[in-house]
Amino acid sequence: SLKMASDSPESLMTLCTDYCLRNLEGTLCYLLDNETLRLHPDIFLPSEICDKLVNEYVELVKTDSIFEPHESFFTLFSDPRSTRLARIHLREHIVQDQDLEAIRKQDLIELYLTNCEKLTAKSLQTLVSFSHTLISLSLFGCCNIFYEEENPGGCEDDCLVNPTRQVLVKDFTFEGFSRLRILNLGRLIEGVNVETLLRPLASLAALDLSGIQLNDVGFLTQWKDSLVSLVLYNMDLSEEHIQVIAQLHKLRHLDISRDHLSSYYKFKLTRRVLNLFVENLVNLTSLDISGHTMLENCTIPSMEEKMGQTSIEPAKSSIAPFRGLKRPLQFLGLFETSLCRLTHIPAYKVSGDKNEEQVLNAIEAYTEHRPEITSRAINLLFDIARIERCSQLLRALQLVITALKCHKDDKNIQVTGSAALFYLTNSEYRMEQSVKLRRQVIQVVLNGMESYQEVTVQRNCCLTLCNFSIPEELEFQYRRVNELLLNILNQSRQDESIQRIAVHLCNALVCQVDNDHKEAVGKMGFVMTMLKLIQKKLADKTCDQVMEFSWSALWNITDETPDNCEMFLNYSGMKLFLECLKEFPEKQELHRNMLGLLGNVAEVKELRPQLMTSQFISVFSNLLESKADGIEVSYNACGVLSHIMFDGPEAWGICEPHREEVVKRMWAAIQSWDINSRRNINYRSFEPILRLLPQGISPVSQHWATWALYNLVSVYPDKYCPLLIKEGGIPLLKDMIKMASARQETKEMARKVIEHCSNFKEENMDTSR
């Protein structure tokens, strides 16, 4: 059965299991000789815990790229005196012969091996050691388990000429598996004699022979008194098959469905065959005939069908043969058949393509073992989510998450699943989703980006991430998501749309986060990546969103982060700044972003000497007159110069332009700005502005800082009055008013700032008792 992601909080058991698996050394184990994991000698764990440890381990290796598998993990469960295993589900390449061998002393009751392609015939011998206890076994998709390596000739010299070759083991049977009741041999390789293999089993209750072609299934009648479930998915049937099936009178579940795209089938399903099943299989509660072509009309004439409300009563069935059922079926598989669109279907649960409910039932029923069908069902869900509104959002999301986790390497599922996630997480569904569920979405999206370098998957995943609040909702995977995006941006051949979305996401991720995050991302090569993108766009003479977002991202990542500012200078950032100004003189957004970034660089005292060249100072001075983007460009240029002036006349190491001349232009610029300007800027801290207040060396810098504070506290009092008070700005302003060197108009402005803040404080005083 498929594990459904629930939306309730994780149980304590799950949290503890997860913690122990991620910290095996610090919890259950110690390292022997620095390499082999060993269980602490005083530990005894019952099967409830051991099963969960093993099953969750497999899940983590499969779906969490950060989780490191341990070579000796399965040896922890080798001794039944300290660990007990009963029911385990192992998947794919994670499991090798030696892993099963390690647990051979365990009394397993249930062993599911799904697509474990690394298992060879050595594991058949290990299975024998579980034979006396196994009740349920699946070898689904273990395509090499009946092969062993043979060395022809057997002598050492010969090995070089004839390397080992794979030969089919023909003598293995389930002899001795006396308790085995449930068996799945789906996708067993050709050449294995199924009849001989199964003959020793006394009383099979459930058998799955998916994807196997058998022309003679007569041997199934030996279990006609015990078999309650039979799956023959993708077997091309004949009249003989039907006659045998009709004798299995105990059947409750019958699946003869097929993938109608996989190959040409001669067999067509008729009214007579369905009648035969209904008459003979009186215990039937579940039937799957998905993908079948109906040869003759099984349906009731449409006039009669449309009467009254929809009903699941067999007597009213639109499918004629099912009128003979004693009661409605629990499940009826009609996916990709014409029957699913009828009005009266006598089943509580129907898989089909008619509506959301049928499509979700299909995804749920087929995900684990039939990815080829599942991807088509998810594609239908994608259309429903895109065009209509999903009424079962939670279920839809959980099913898509499970499918994406289960089939990490299946291109079709990754493409359709990631596209469906985009529509299922958009804003109209936001309120219905818990933090846990949204985190699961982010995890599978990042898994998809990691394992699939395919353009469509990458684009879908990036677009889906845009549905989240960034950076808040991505912070729990902060490092990983940044690495993945930078990886996309550093690819040599790039898809324009993905590039645009990835830069936008990168920018959003470094906006409003702590400095240690920014430093970490800087060390990942963020600054270099953005500059490379700018360089490319400049070479193409293109100023588009990628160019603007790249400069904006650099502005954000250098905010109060000196290391990243230094990187910007070291990687010829200033050269690019000048070239962009020259190439795109009219691009206001661009100028604002570039100057915002240079403001951050200018705040770092050690880096300011690098800005002190005639060329740069002239450019900054000329930009004081810019009317671009309201006052933003002029304001930022003045900010850069204010920090440079703050270093005093002795730091002015250039002849042209003169310091006094630049100061005059700065005064003129500040006086031309409208104090009520709404701003395109976001301060997390006033510290860089406040440091310009208590000084007499550059009154114009003092004035710029005071103007900035006055503008922000008057236009955005709720945000900036508390920030200014918290950071100790009021005493600094009061001290500045007493300074002789400060200009009169600066002092006037400082008084207004103080007044604003005290009014704000009074208005917001909590007077409730």
Side-chain angles (χ1 to χ4, degrees):
S1 72
L2 203 58
K3 212 162 51 170
M4 274 292 290
S6 102
D7 204 33
S8 51
E10 299 290 8
S11 67
L12 188 56
M13 172 80 155
T14 302
L15 292 170
C16 292
T17 308
D18 188 70
Y19 183 80
C20 289
L21 288 171
R22 291 178 191 277
N23 304 278
L24 279 169
E25 251 182 276
T27 52
L28 306 170
C29 305
Y30 64 95
L31 265 190
L32 185 68
D33 312 329
N34 273 342
E35 54 176 1
T36 315
L37 278 174
R38 282 274 188 274
L39 216 55
H40 285 300
D42 55 350
I43 280 180
F44 172 79
L45 297 171
S47 62
E48 291 82 355
I49 291 175
C50 293
D51 290 350
K52 199 158 172 62
L53 281 167
V54 169
N55 294 336
E56 287 301 317
Y57 170 81
V58 171
E59 194 70 13
L60 277 175
V61 174
K62 196 170 174 313
T63 60
D64 189 336
S65 61
I66 302 159
F67 183 78
E68 285 294 320
H70 297 276
E71 222 162 75
S72 51
F73 177 77
F74 285 89
T75 59
L76 301 177
F77 304 91
S78 56
D79 187 352
R81 288 171 303 185
S82 55
T83 53
R84 292 276 167 86
L85 288 174
R87 295 176 169 82
I88 56 174
H89 193 162
L90 310 179
R91 293 179 162 278
E92 294 168 27
H93 59 274
I94 298 161
V95 189
Q96 306 192 29
D97 291 327
Q98 62 266 29
D99 298 323
L100 269 192
E101 172 73 12
I103 58 170
R104 72 183 184 284
K105 291 182 180 162
Q106 293 286 358
D107 291 340
L108 291 183
I109 294 169
E110 209 173 87
L111 174 61
Y112 290 110
L113 301 170
T114 307
N115 296 324
C116 300
E117 295 179 2
K118 287 197 172 175
L119 296 182
T120 70
K122 286 182 189 151
S123 287
L124 288 177
Q125 297 319 307
T126 310
L127 285 183
V128 175
S129 55
F130 306 130
S131 61
H132 58 294
T133 53
L134 264 187
I135 292 173
S136 185
L137 172 67
S138 169
L139 300 178
F140 182 88
C142 299
C143 52
N144 295 311
I145 199 162
F146 281 88
Y147 279 111
E148 63 185 347
E149 288 185 350
E150 185 191 62
N151 190 351
C155 80
E156 285 181 22
D157 298 336
D158 199 27
C159 302
L160 303 171
V161 188
N162 288 315
T164 56
R165 62 193 177 103
Q166 303 285 322
V167 291
L168 199 57
V169 172
K170 299 227 168 139
D171 55 356
F172 177 83
T173 72
F174 285 111
E175 187 68 58
F177 285 72
S178 56
R179 304 183 64 185
L180 197 61
R181 297 286 177 276
I182 299 167
L183 179 60
N184 185 340
L185 294 176
R187 305 221 334 255
L188 189 71
I189 42 109
E190 274 183 45
V192 177
N193 187 323
V194 178
E195 185 177 347
T196 313
L197 188 65
L198 299 181
R199 193 178 289 120
L201 297 173
S203 47
L204 264 184
L207 180 62
D208 188 327
L209 299 174
S210 292
I212 304 171
Q213 188 48 52
L214 297 176
N215 294 327
D216 179 11
V217 290
F219 65 91
L220 292 176
T221 55
Q222 66 179 300
W223 301 295
K224 67 177 191 299
D225 295 327
S226 64
L227 205 61
V228 293
S229 171
L230 177 64
V231 178
L232 304 177
Y233 169 69
N234 265 355
M235 191 181 286
D236 196 10
L237 306 170
S238 66
E239 186 54 40
E240 287 73 27
H241 289 81
I242 299 300
Q243 291 307 324
V244 170
I245 293 168
Q247 293 175 57
L248 306 174
H249 61 101
K250 285 279 173 70
L251 277 186
R252 291 205 290 270
H253 172 62
L254 172 63
D255 182 343
I256 53 166
S257 63
R258 62 192 194 191
D259 173 3
H260 75 103
L261 296 183
S262 68
S263 62
Y264 173 71
Y265 291 100
K266 294 182 289 296
F267 181 76
K268 304 276 193 291
L269 208 50
T270 63
R271 189 167 181 157
R272 185 186 60 78
V273 170
L274 290 181
N275 276 326
L276 195 67
F277 289 165
V278 171
E279 282 162 29
N280 291 281
L281 310 177
V282 292
N283 298 309
L284 211 57
T285 60
S286 166
L287 174 66
D288 202 330
I289 53 173
S290 296
H292 274 280
T293 315
M294 313 311 271
L295 187 64
E296 59 195 55
N297 201 348
C298 293
T299 59
I300 300 298
S302 57
M303 281 302 292
E304 196 182 326
E305 196 220 356
K306 289 285 177 283
M307 287 164 59
Q309 286 184 304
T310 49
S311 166
I312 60 166
E313 284 308 309
K316 292 185 181 168
S317 171
S318 303
I319 307 164
F322 294 150
R323 291 195 161 188
L325 289 167
K326 304 275 181 295
R327 66 197 80 78
L329 294 169
Q330 293 296 323
F331 176 84
L332 178 57
L334 300 175
F335 189 70
E336 294 179 322
T337 68
S338 54
L339 300 180
C340 70
R341 296 192 187 84
L342 297 169
T343 309
H344 307 301
I345 301 176
Y348 293 103
K349 211 172 199 180
V350 178
S351 75
D353 45 37
K354 177 185 176 182
N355 54 30
E356 182 184 350
E357 171 69 20
Q358 287 189 0
V359 167
L360 292 177
N361 290 341
I363 299 171
E364 191 170 9
Y366 309 129
T367 289
E368 180 134 43
H369 293 127
R370 301 177 194 176
E372 61 283 1
I373 306 271
T374 307
S375 70
R376 302 204 292 271
I378 293 175
N379 207 20
L380 291 165
L381 176 66
F382 161 74
D383 280 334
I384 294 167
R386 187 170 57 96
I387 299 159
E388 310 161 31
R389 189 184 157 83
C390 263
S391 54
Q392 301 183 47
L393 174 76
L394 201 64
R395 184 176 173 218
L397 255 182
Q398 289 169 338
L399 285 168
V400 174
I401 289 169
T402 305
L404 284 166
K405 274 184 171 177
C406 196
H407 300 287
K408 206 169 145 188
D409 304 318
D410 185 300
K411 181 184 163 183
N412 290 334
I413 284 193
Q414 291 300 321
V415 170
T416 56
S418 57
L421 279 186
F422 170 67
Y423 284 102
L424 292 169
T425 52
N426 69 18
S427 52
E428 65 170 310
Y429 296 125
R430 183 67 182 275
M431 297 308 295
E432 300 169 49
Q433 294 164 17
S434 67
V435 171
K436 176 184 165 187
L437 194 63
R438 286 178 76 80
R439 284 192 167 194
Q440 285 179 328
V441 172
I442 290 164
Q443 293 275 27
V444 291
V445 163
L446 298 183
N447 287 346
M449 287 168 76
E450 216 148 36
S451 45
Y452 249 86
Q453 299 305 315
E454 204 272 339
V455 175
T456 322
V457 175
Q458 297 272 348
R459 188 187 299 112
N460 291 348
C461 290
C462 286
L463 281 169
T464 303
L465 290 178
C466 295
N467 285 335
F468 291 82
S469 303
I470 305 171
E472 301 80 12
E473 288 193 279
L474 297 182
E475 220 159 338
F476 79 108
Q477 292 279 297
Y478 196 75
R479 194 183 172 86
R480 186 177 172 209
V481 73
N482 273 294
E483 276 173 352
L484 285 167
L485 290 168
L486 291 179
N487 185 33
I488 288 174
L489 291 172
N490 283 319
Q491 285 162 12
S492 49
R493 291 185 58 201
Q494 277 183 353
D495 176 275
E496 193 67 32
S497 62
I498 298 182
Q499 193 184 56
R500 193 171 59 249
I501 306 158
V503 177
H504 161 71
L505 285 165
C506 279
N507 188 18
L509 277 161
V510 289
C511 188
Q512 305 292 302
V513 287
D514 296 339
N515 292 11
D516 52 350
H517 273 336
K518 291 182 185 179
E519 277 170 24
V521 176
K523 289 192 180 79
M524 283 179 206
F526 189 100
V527 177
M528 172 75 105
T529 303
M530 293 303 147
L531 288 169
K532 271 192 205 150
L533 288 173
I534 292 166
Q535 180 81 61
K536 268 190 207 157
K537 291 292 173 189
L538 197 57
D540 299 341
K541 299 191 175 334
T542 311
C543 181
D544 56 5
Q545 283 183 314
V546 172
M547 173 72 104
E548 284 176 15
F549 284 154
S550 301
W551 279 107
S552 179
L554 287 170
W555 180 7
N556 281 318
I557 202 172
T558 52
D559 177 38
E560 293 186 53
T561 315
D563 288 4
N564 292 340
C565 292
E566 189 174 5
M567 259 188 248
F568 169 79
L569 293 178
N570 291 349
Y571 297 143
S572 315
M574 289 306 289
K575 180 171 170 286
L576 281 178
F577 162 69
L578 292 173
E579 286 174 0
C580 285
L581 264 185
K582 190 170 160 216
E583 184 64 51
F584 310 111
E586 303 302 316
K587 294 287 183 182
Q588 305 195 355
E589 284 273 303
L590 184 70
H591 295 184
R592 182 196 82 197
N593 294 347
M594 294 196 302
L595 277 157
L597 153 67
L598 291 188
N600 291 339
V601 176
E603 286 169 12
V604 185
K605 188 174 174 53
E606 302 73 37
L607 301 179
R608 285 201 282 273
Q610 295 191 50
L611 302 179
M612 182 48 77
T613 70
S614 289
Q615 190 184 22
F616 292 151
I617 299 295
S618 298
V619 168
F620 298 142
S621 305
N622 291 335
L623 286 167
L624 288 169
E625 268 98 70
S626 166
K627 293 287 174 276
D629 203 16
I631 65 164
E632 296 304 329
V633 171
S634 177
Y635 169 89
N636 283 326
C638 200
V640 172
L641 290 167
S642 293
H643 288 289
I644 291 171
M645 293 294 171
F646 177 61
D647 292 336
E650 64 278 8
W652 198 264
I654 53 172
C655 305
E656 282 292 321
H658 289 301
R659 189 168 185 271
E660 288 67 37
E661 185 195 323
V662 176
V663 167
K664 216 157 76 187
R665 290 178 77 175
M666 287 166 72
W667 279 108
I670 300 170
Q671 275 149 354
S672 75
W673 302 337
D674 174 4
I675 196 66
N676 297 314
S677 300
R678 297 195 69 75
R679 304 304 307 284
N680 232 328
I681 198 160
N682 196 350
Y683 283 101
R684 286 188 310 137
S685 163
F686 281 148
E687 197 279 321
I689 293 179
L690 295 176
R691 72 173 85 133
L692 298 175
L693 294 178
Q695 48 97 14
I697 204 153
S698 171
V700 72
S701 307
Q702 212 173 34
H703 192 66
W704 175 83
T706 313
W707 190 96
L709 295 174
Y710 183 34
N711 164 258
L712 293 165
V713 296
S714 35
V715 180
Y716 307 101
D718 292 357
K719 180 170 184 183
Y720 290 119
C721 287
L723 185 64
L724 185 60
I725 294 164
K726 181 175 143 231
E727 294 195 335
I730 305 298
L732 285 173
L733 287 163
K734 286 180 175 167
D735 290 349
M736 189 260 283
I737 292 170
K738 294 174 194 158
M739 286 173 70
S741 60
R743 288 270 285 261
Q744 203 48 45
E745 55 196 296
T746 311
K747 295 180 180 184
E748 279 304 311
M749 210 170 256
R751 286 192 189 95
K752 286 179 186 165
V753 176
I754 295 166
E755 195 181 326
H756 253 293
C757 288
S758 59
N759 289 346
F760 175 82
K761 243 176 130 174
E762 278 168 28
E763 278 168 32
N764 290 276
M765 279 284 280
D766 186 3
T767 53
S768 58
R769 280 253 182 283

